[in-house]
Amino acid sequence: MTIREEFEKREHEILSEFAAFSDESRGRDVSEVESDIRTAYQRDRDRVIHSKAFRRLKHKTQVFLAPYGDHYRARLTHTLEVSQIARTISKALRCNDDLTEAIALAHDIGHTPFGHVGERALSCVSGMQFAHNIHGVRVVEVLEKDGEGLNLTWEVRDGILNHKTSLTPATLEGDIVRISDKIGYINHDIDDGIRAGVLTEEGLPRECTDVLGHSTRDRIDRMITDLIKNSIGSPRVKMSEESWNALMSLRKYMFENLYTNPVVKREERKAFEIIRILYEYFMDNPEEMPEEFVTFIHNGADKSVIVCDYIAGMTDNYAVETFQNLYIPHSWSKY
């Protein structure tokens, strides 16, 4: 018996009846020889971590565009925090934490530069609805590894696609990531908002904090504990009605007081214009994109889709640098 087979056997002995078992995966689009030492979901987790798209998340906006300070979250640190929250819940519910981790690490891999303003900008200029969850699946299926894709299992791709609030993942592990994402971003965005002087702990709605806690640490602990207690023995995760209502009220407060705050949004117009100008430039000059994107077009792909692919993959820094190289004069030098 291989090490992988021992892992798979142990899953059936330990995990909940509602867990996704590695040896029962719906598989990959392209069949592969199984590893002797890693399960299918362990391989997926490793492929995500080693991908270029995952590494680029370290320079993509979470909430604050180009924040001055080392302690604000970027899209990568958000992803890591969501992953740890999801793993804690997954272990407590005896779910497949390898699958949970793979989905969590990949859930935002389709995000644009400049956060959600990048999504809105690409949707506006291309005339197509750009959604980071849909694009995330495209990244792992088509764009990574110079067009080969990562060939992830169906369950991981389903989790990426369906991690948004309004959607329903097919697995319990995907459902854990979906709600862990909200627990993560609401709490650490509060922390960043307080650090930026936009929010105060005392200013948060008392009807929410009296239920969930009066510090970021207490709120995360309360939400995770409540979720676990109310999800044991269930094929779906859920919070108590009191905690869920408090979380949704706090989320509403964040949209009204942080995500649409003029201090936070003051640089968004510039980011939107950078995306718009880059899109128009590469639509007119597609041959100036990297070779793999030009090849997609030569092979018959929609030029607008490929230009969106290229821009969506940029980090904040690279988008700004590309814009500057195209439109800002450089100082003249003889050498």
Side-chain angles (χ1 to χ4, degrees):
M1 181 180 291
T2 66
I3 294 173
R4 169 183 56 79
E5 289 170 334
E6 289 180 0
F7 281 145
E8 292 171 346
K9 180 174 180 291
R10 195 179 308 163
E11 286 180 1
H12 284 280
E13 294 170 348
I14 296 173
L15 298 186
S16 160
E17 62 179 305
F18 302 115
F21 298 102
S22 299
D23 60 355
E24 295 179 0
S25 169
R26 290 176 57 171
R28 310 176 189 278
D29 282 349
V30 180
S31 62
E32 300 179 2
V33 176
E34 295 286 354
S35 167
D36 286 341
I37 60 174
R38 292 177 297 165
T39 68
Y41 301 140
Q42 288 171 343
R43 295 179 80 184
D44 284 358
R45 175 201 59 203
D46 296 348
R47 289 178 186 188
V48 171
I49 289 176
H50 289 290
S51 69
K52 291 186 292 185
F54 180 77
R55 294 197 294 274
R56 291 196 297 268
L57 295 177
K58 68 181 177 179
H59 292 304
K60 292 195 178 190
T61 291
Q62 173 61 21
V63 173
F64 293 91
L65 293 176
Y68 183 78
D70 295 330
H71 298 138
Y72 293 95
R73 273 78 170 181
R75 191 62 60 177
L76 179 60
T77 47
H78 158 75
T79 294
L80 295 176
E81 291 182 24
V82 169
S83 176
Q84 290 307 103
I85 291 169
R87 280 175 56 86
T88 297
I89 297 168
S90 184
K91 281 183 176 294
L93 296 178
R94 294 189 296 121
C95 290
N96 192 319
D97 53 305
D98 292 322
L99 173 57
T100 302
E101 186 175 23
I103 296 170
L105 292 172
H107 83 279
D108 270 354
I109 206 166
H111 254 292
T112 62
F114 311 123
H116 289 287
V117 68
E119 285 187 278
R120 295 194 295 272
L122 285 178
S123 295
C124 181
V125 297
S126 70
M128 303 178 292
Q129 183 63 41
F130 186 97
H132 74 274
N133 59 317
I134 297 173
H135 186 68
V137 176
R138 180 168 170 79
V139 169
V140 300
E141 288 186 341
V142 178
L143 300 178
E144 263 297 308
K145 295 182 67 177
D146 299 327
E148 292 182 17
L150 299 180
N151 198 29
L152 303 181
T153 58
W154 180 89
E155 290 79 8
V156 174
R157 288 177 284 144
D158 171 81
I160 298 170
L161 180 64
N162 292 300
H163 77 269
K164 296 178 70 173
T165 303
S166 60
L167 303 175
T168 304
T171 65
L172 180 53
E173 289 79 2
D175 208 30
I176 289 170
V177 173
R178 183 179 67 91
I179 203 161
S180 296
D181 185 29
K182 286 143 203 62
I183 293 173
Y185 78 69
I186 288 173
N187 283 291
H188 61 229
D189 290 353
I190 289 174
D191 187 47
D192 281 353
I194 291 172
R195 179 172 292 108
V198 178
L199 302 176
T200 64
E201 181 64 44
E202 297 72 26
L204 299 177
R206 285 296 298 268
E207 65 271 19
C208 299
T209 57
D210 284 348
V211 173
L212 300 174
H214 296 279
S215 70
T216 297
R217 175 182 176 179
D218 288 345
R219 282 188 288 272
I220 292 176
D221 182 70
R222 170 60 190 269
M223 291 180 191
I224 291 174
T225 302
D226 183 280
L227 184 71
I228 292 169
K229 286 182 177 179
N230 285 276
S231 303
I232 294 173
S234 171
R236 290 288 156 186
V237 290
K238 58 183 178 181
M239 288 183 175
S240 65
E241 185 176 357
E242 180 184 40
S243 293
W244 180 254
N245 289 340
L247 175 59
M248 289 298 99
S249 294
L250 192 55
R251 182 174 181 266
K252 182 174 183 289
Y253 174 87
M254 293 291 286
F255 274 94
E256 294 173 349
N257 294 274
L258 180 67
Y259 303 135
T260 59
N261 187 290
V263 174
V264 178
K265 292 179 69 66
R266 64 188 175 193
E267 299 299 308
E268 284 193 1
R269 179 186 59 81
K270 299 175 187 177
F272 190 102
E273 284 302 297
I274 288 174
I275 296 291
R276 180 187 65 81
I277 291 170
L278 289 179
Y279 177 84
E280 293 177 353
Y281 181 85
F282 288 113
M283 284 295 288
D284 291 337
N285 304 278
E287 70 283 353
E288 295 190 28
M289 292 189 294
E291 182 179 354
E292 62 265 30
F293 295 96
V294 177
T295 299
F296 280 129
I297 295 174
H298 288 168
N299 289 338
D302 187 315
K303 181 171 67 172
S304 179
V305 171
I306 301 305
V307 170
C308 285
D309 287 340
Y310 178 46
I311 295 173
M314 294 180 177
T315 62
D316 296 12
N317 300 340
Y318 186 73
V320 171
E321 181 182 343
T322 302
F323 174 82
Q324 290 175 331
N325 287 338
L326 291 174
Y327 290 102
I328 306 300
H330 295 276
S331 297
W332 184 86
S333 174
K334 181 178 179 181
Y335 301 103

